Amino acid sequence: MKFIVASLLLSSAAAFNAFAPKKAAKVAVPTYNVEDLPGILAPVGFFDPLGFAAKADEATLKRYREAELAHGRVSMLAVVGFFVGEKVEGSSFLFDASIKGPAISHLAQVPGEFWALLAIGIGAAEQSRAELGWVDPKDTPFDRPGLLKEDYSPGDLNFDPLSLKPEDPEEFKIMATKELQHGRLAMLAAAGFLAQEKADGMGIIEHLQSM
């Protein structure tokens, strides 16, 4: 009986999958033993001074890692944006070269149409990420909000236009660690840039040139 039920379930899943869009090959979803996760480097090792990991189950750890990767990627873009935005201010063809001053003041100077396009772009990206990685809210237990799918590896958005993602698990772990380390540094850098420009109203490039 169990075999028959399992066969029916598998055949049903296969029928639905025939109409689903093709997906890129994925690296195997890692088992979430905190000591084996990417991002752990000597001499610090596993750094969790507040003990978040000790209180978390596997699903919660996956959500933490997804949040860390998302914030790290946004921060890397933000750091590049600080430098590029301040370097081309007053000389770019965008917005009639009217955007000036430190980077934290640039968004306030752009026209409303840009805000609409920005909101639509961010919303579309987040919608795609949610559909790919998150369990549908109607199927999520009320005490487990934000539950990720079991077969979803945090940060794996099937976006690899240059085919840089290694197929070998060990090489993938090394690359994932590099991304995490760059993202962590970028989060600190972006926070420092925001605080510095807010404190004295000078751009980051202006600071570097005055040293």
Side-chain angles (χ1 to χ4, degrees), residues 71-100:
H71 284 81
R73 289 167 178 173
V74 170
S75 295
M76 286 188 278
L77 290 172
V79 168
V80 173
F82 266 94
F83 288 118
V84 173
E86 293 180 5
K87 183 64 177 175
V88 303
E89 66 176 32
S91 61
S92 171
F93 65 91
L94 294 173
F95 311 117
D96 295 324
S98 61
I99 310 298
K100 303 183 187 306

Side-chain angles (χ1 to χ4, degrees), residues 112-184:
E113 293 82 359
F114 178 81
W115 279 98
L117 291 174
L118 185 65
I120 292 171
I122 293 174
E126 286 299 289
Q127 175 73 17
S128 174
R129 189 166 73 103
E131 291 178 352
L132 182 65
W134 270 259
V135 175
D136 193 307
K138 67 178 173 39
D139 300 323
T140 304
F142 75 92
D143 59 343
R144 301 183 72 187
L147 186 65
L148 295 176
K149 296 177 180 177
E150 289 186 4
D151 62 346
Y152 173 69
S153 182
D156 187 2
L157 303 179
N158 292 333
F159 181 76
D160 185 26
L162 300 180
S163 300
L164 298 176
K165 184 169 69 175
E167 295 184 2
D168 179 73
E170 283 305 312
E171 291 182 7
F172 176 76
K173 184 176 180 180
I174 292 171
M175 181 171 281
T177 296
K178 290 178 180 178
E179 181 185 19
L180 284 161
Q181 294 299 95
H182 283 84
R184 291 162 180 170

Side-chain angles (χ1 to χ4, degrees), residues 57 112 118 208:
D57 57 16
L118 185 65
L208 294 174

